[in-house]
């Protein structure tokens, strides 16, 4: 069984796969966008780390920050 990532995801980005495009949550390191424990992508090129022949790519132009809003207060 794979390890569960404990880092908080901070951004959303579009991932291009063999089956089409999908939006995924990622967190960033100094050189990579990290989707999961075994899945990271180069920040400059969007290519998958440790698997340069893979078809999967990140579209770097689609990075958006996840904004967490405070819960609404209900006054009684």
């Amino acid at each position: 069984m794979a390890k569960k990532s404990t880092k908080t995801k901070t951004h959303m980005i579009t991932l291009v796969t063999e089956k089409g495009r999908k939006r995924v949550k990622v967190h960033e390191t100094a050189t990579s966008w990290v989707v999961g424990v075994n899945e990271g992508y180069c920040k400059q090129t969007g290519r998958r780390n440790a698997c340069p022949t893979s078809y999967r790519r990140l579209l770097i132009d689609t990075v958006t920050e996840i904004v967490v809003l405070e819960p609404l207060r209900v006054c009684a």
Side-chain angles (χ1 to χ4, degrees), residues 56-72:
R56 298 167 74 94
R57 301 279 188 272
L58 290 180
L59 298 178
I60 304 300
D61 301 343
T62 64
V63 174
T64 56
E65 190 170 352
I66 296 174
V67 179
V68 179
L69 301 175
E70 292 183 26
L72 295 174

Side-chain angles (χ1 to χ4, degrees), residues 8-59:
T8 302
K9 305 300 184 191
T10 58
H11 294 79
M12 291 286 292
I13 195 165
T14 301
L15 175 64
V16 178
T17 68
E18 303 83 19
K19 297 180 181 179
R21 295 179 181 200
K22 64 181 182 177
R23 297 282 288 166
V24 293
K25 292 180 181 179
V26 297
H27 72 269
E28 66 179 319
T29 65
T31 59
S32 299
W33 291 109
V34 181
V35 177
V37 175
N38 295 321
E39 191 172 0
Y41 296 85
C42 178
K43 272 188 170 180
Q44 283 75 32
T45 64
R47 299 182 93 186
R48 189 163 178 189
N49 296 339
C51 190
T53 59
S54 173
Y55 182 72
R56 298 167 74 94
R57 301 279 188 272
L58 290 180
L59 298 178

